């Protein structure tokens, strides 16, 4: 049976979300007994080596240096990747995986709003209303003013902001920049950050289980990178994008199986609001694109 492009895209999106959540789970397991930035550095070495091989196989060379203004865009994207990784993984070591994943589901809404503000992409009152409702859902998750609101919740929100900057930077890159090269520079930046902090904090011997966790996290990260690039090249993105929210289901499952944690009722309600408004926003965007295509 031959799959349609949309079916392939849905499977790739679900696979990429699964791979990234597996990476998060193994990193959380590893950092329970070893320093966070040492784990980031070691994972970065393995992931960068694998991505360099992929870049060589897909482009036919090891040339990954962007040209012209793309250099600054890749640099900004890499800095944002550092911020997103550091804040996300720091928060992850102190809060349940499902709760942090629920906060990260605000990303499509935040990205839509940021694109309207900085890239001047049009946004109607319906999508703007959906975004505002979605952010109310985020407030139910982070619970400001209550005992459930911690600095780790704030770090999760900062991570969302860093990912928005990263993705907006990606959208401004020219088509001449290979996707593999962008991924390599992001991995190198995060790896160097981990190495620098580890050099300051000091190195600690790695146990067998920790090495296994890091190897699994590295493999899952590379798979996630590859699938996330592939998914952008097939099918209708407006149809495929909502399946990004499967990450929350994986996070709840792995959080329960591996760490014995489940989100509380308000987190589930907030996540449901965020997911519902996010899907509405994506479907509305798809409808407008179709209408514009017909009018054109």
């Amino acid at each position: 049976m031959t799959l349609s492009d949309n079916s392939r895209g849905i499977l790739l999106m679900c696979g990429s979300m699964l791979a990234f959540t597996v990476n998060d789970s193994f990193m959380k397991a590893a950092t329970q007994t070893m320093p966070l930035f040492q784990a980031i550095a070691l994972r970065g070495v393995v992931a960068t080596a694998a991505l360099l091989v992929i870049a060589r196989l897909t482009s036919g060379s090891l040339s990954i240096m962007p040209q012209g203004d793309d250099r600054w865009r890749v640099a900004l994207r890499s800095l944002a990747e550092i911020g997103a990784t550091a804040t996300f993984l720091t928060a992850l070591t102190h809060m349940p995986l499902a709760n942090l994943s629920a906060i990260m589901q605000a990303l499509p809404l935040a990205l839509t709003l940021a694109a309207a503000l900085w890239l001047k992409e049009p946004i109607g009152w319906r999508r703007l209303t959906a975004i505002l409702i979605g952010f109310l859902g985020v407030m139910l998750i982070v619970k400001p003013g209550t005992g459930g609101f911690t600095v780790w919740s704030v770090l999760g929100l900062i991570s969302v902001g860093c990912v928005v900057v990263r993705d907006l930077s990606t959208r401004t890159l020219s088509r001449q920049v290979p996707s593999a090269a962008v991924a390599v520079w992001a991995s190198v930046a995060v790896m160097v950050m981990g190495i620098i902090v580890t050099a300051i904090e000091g190195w600690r011997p790695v146990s067998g289980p920790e090495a296994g966790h890091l190897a699994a996290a590295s493999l899952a990260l590379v798979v996630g990178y590859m699938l996330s690039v592939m998914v952008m090249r097939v099918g209708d993105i407006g149809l495929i994008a909502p399946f990004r929210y499967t990450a929350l289901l994986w996070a709840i499952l792995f959080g329960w199986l591996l760490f014995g944690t489940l989100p509380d009722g308000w987190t589930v309600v907030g996540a449901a609001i965020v997911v519902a408004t996010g899907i509405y926003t994506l479907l509305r965007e798809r409808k407008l694109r179709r209408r514009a295509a017909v009018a054109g």
Side-chain angles (χ1 to χ4, degrees):
M1 182 180 66
T2 302
L3 293 176
S4 66
D5 283 348
N6 281 337
S7 297
R8 288 171 55 208
I10 290 170
L11 290 175
L12 289 170
M13 176 63 81
C14 292
S16 68
M17 294 300 100
L18 172 59
F20 284 129
T21 308
V22 169
N23 162 68
D24 296 339
S25 300
F26 278 108
M27 284 296 286
K28 183 174 179 64
T31 54
Q32 288 183 337
T33 55
M34 72 180 300
L36 170 63
F37 288 94
Q38 182 177 332
I40 291 174
L42 292 172
R43 184 192 66 171
V45 170
V46 178
T48 299
L51 287 169
L52 282 171
V53 172
I54 293 170
R56 174 68 176 84
L57 294 175
T58 55
S59 65
S61 72
L62 282 174
S63 177
I64 58 172
M65 184 63 68
Q67 303 298 318
D69 290 340
D70 284 326
R71 293 182 179 181
W72 302 108
R73 293 165 183 153
V74 170
L76 175 60
R77 186 189 187 282
S78 299
L79 289 174
E81 188 77 62
I82 290 174
T85 301
T87 52
F88 178 87
L89 290 179
T90 300
L92 185 60
T93 60
H94 293 89
M95 65 187 299
L97 174 61
N99 290 52
L100 182 56
S101 181
I103 292 174
M104 298 303 294
Q105 301 316 304
L107 178 57
L109 299 173
L111 188 59
T112 300
L113 182 59
L117 293 175
W118 281 284
L119 299 183
K120 307 304 179 184
E121 294 189 2
I123 179 173
W125 68 268
R126 293 182 180 87
R127 284 189 291 168
L128 181 59
T129 301
I131 289 171
L132 295 176
I133 294 174
F135 285 129
L136 289 177
V138 174
M139 292 299 102
L140 289 177
I141 298 170
V142 301
K143 305 177 185 68
T146 69
F149 182 70
T150 67
V151 65
W152 315 122
S153 304
V154 176
L155 283 182
L157 293 174
I158 293 174
S159 182
V160 170
C162 290
V163 175
V164 167
V165 174
R166 182 197 70 187
D167 287 355
L168 290 183
S169 301
T170 305
R171 295 190 67 167
T172 62
L173 289 172
S174 67
R175 294 185 178 273
Q176 285 69 38
V177 182
S179 298
V182 177
V184 167
W185 280 113
S187 183
V188 167
V190 173
M191 177 186 68
V192 170
M193 179 265 295
I195 291 173
I196 291 174
V197 177
T198 300
I200 296 173
E201 293 182 341
W203 179 268
R204 206 216 68 179
V206 180
S207 68
E210 291 168 347
H213 290 151
L214 291 177
S218 302
L219 177 61
L221 183 65
V222 171
V223 172
Y225 274 140
M226 291 174 61
L227 295 183
S228 64
V229 172
M230 293 167 64
V231 76
M232 299 305 295
R233 296 180 173 177
V234 295
D236 184 346
I237 296 302
L239 173 66
I240 296 167
F243 288 86
R244 177 185 298 272
Y245 294 113
T246 56
L248 180 57
L249 301 178
W250 292 123
I252 292 173
L253 177 62
F254 291 146
W256 174 57
L257 291 177
L258 301 178
F259 309 107
T261 59
L262 286 171
D264 61 28
W266 285 115
T267 298
V268 172
V269 171
I273 292 173
V274 171
V275 170
T277 53
I279 291 175
Y280 171 82
T281 301
L282 293 167
L283 294 178
R284 178 67 182 171
E285 184 176 350
R286 180 188 178 202
K287 180 179 180 180
L288 292 177
R289 283 203 307 269
R290 287 186 170 180
R291 184 182 299 172
V294 171

